[in-house]
Amino acid sequence: MSNAAIVDHNVPPGEPPHIHHMDSVTAYGAAKLGMWLFLATEILLFAVMFCSFAVMRYYHLAEFHAASHHLNVKAGALNTVILLFSSYTAAVAVTKAQKGDNKGVVRNFGISLICGLLFLLVKTAEYSDKAHHGMFPFVWNSNFYEYKNFLGLYFCMTALHALHVIIGMFVMYWYGIRPAMNNRFSGKYFTPVELGALYWHLVDLIW
């Protein structure tokens, strides 16, 4: 494959031909490197939060131990299965894109999107249950607000992760499903699908 950009003339009448800059070997490698560097920053972000959780647990072991009994293990396990399955379909979407099977990309990324939505619904139900039982990071105690260490970190970490799930869903739709519906992907052009799947795998790994 040459480093020259490939021009796609299969566009609606009146529109200029699309130039696939990502089809060059150099641009493809640069795109993947850029994505891996971005994912590294995401890992560092969550690593700080995990370390903060570990430190706070060390200093407030009794509180963390008591609060952990209020977590919904079944809901957490269900969300884990949902995200693992969504990672599988995202990986299949990449294979389909590499083979030029645009319908396969739409189908498998669509399943991943549905899984992401199910994950958010389960997490919303968990949040609603905690709110119903008055489990908030800040609780009014006498004349001041008392900060709950475990709940503060729990809501912060899970809400940040949920935000990444929403971003991942947008990426899969906008850069995967939407172009695939117009038959944009082929064996020579599949970079957006691969990078979108990489981001989604990180979201699942963090969970």
Side-chain angles (χ1 to χ4, degrees), residues 18 32 48-49 60 84 118 123 153 202:
H18 295 292
K32 287 199 70 174
V48 170
M49 303 199 72
H60 305 278
L84 285 174
L118 289 175
K123 183 52 64 179
L153 286 169
L202 176 71

Side-chain angles (χ1 to χ4, degrees), residues 22 31-32 35 94 171 190-200:
M22 301 302 295
K32 287 199 70 174
M35 175 55 76
V94 176
V171 169
F190 53 85
T191 307
V193 177
E194 185 173 354
L195 299 186
L198 274 175
Y199 182 84
W200 191 251

Side-chain angles (χ1 to χ4, degrees), residues 6-124:
I6 297 177
V7 179
D8 182 4
H9 297 280
N10 186 25
V11 295
E15 290 189 15
H18 295 292
I19 301 178
H20 294 159
H21 297 284
M22 301 302 295
D23 286 310
S24 75
V25 175
T26 302
Y28 172 75
K32 287 199 70 174
L33 176 60
M35 175 55 76
W36 279 112
L37 289 174
F38 170 72
L39 295 183
T41 63
E42 292 288 282
I43 291 173
L44 288 174
L45 169 63
F46 280 94
V48 170
M49 303 199 72
F50 285 127
C51 288
S52 299
F53 187 93
V55 171
M56 294 301 291
R57 184 180 184 276
Y58 177 80
Y59 285 106
H60 305 278
L61 182 59
E63 177 190 340
F64 275 59
H65 179 72
S68 65
H69 292 297
H70 295 283
L71 296 179
N72 193 326
V73 178
K74 292 182 179 179
L78 175 61
N79 266 346
T80 300
V81 172
I82 289 173
L83 287 185
L84 285 174
F85 181 69
S86 71
S87 263
Y88 167 75
T89 54
V92 173
V94 176
T95 302
K96 296 296 183 181
Q98 292 172 340
K99 295 180 179 179
D101 183 359
N102 286 272
K103 290 184 178 179
V105 174
V106 174
R107 181 171 57 254
N108 285 279
F109 259 178
I111 294 174
S112 294
L113 272 178
I114 293 173
C115 289
L117 180 60
L118 289 175
F119 174 90
L120 293 175
L121 290 175
V122 173
K123 183 52 64 179
T124 300

Side-chain angles (χ1 to χ4, degrees), residues 152-191:
L153 286 169
Y154 168 81
F155 280 107
C156 182
M157 295 173 71
T158 55
L160 182 61
H161 178 265
L163 175 63
H164 280 73
V165 170
I166 294 172
I167 294 173
M169 292 169 64
F170 172 80
V171 169
M172 286 191 292
Y173 171 75
W174 194 259
Y175 296 103
I177 294 176
R178 187 169 172 271
M181 293 174 69
N182 295 317
N183 296 316
R184 301 299 300 153
F185 301 117
S186 65
K188 294 181 179 179
Y189 179 65
F190 53 85
T191 307

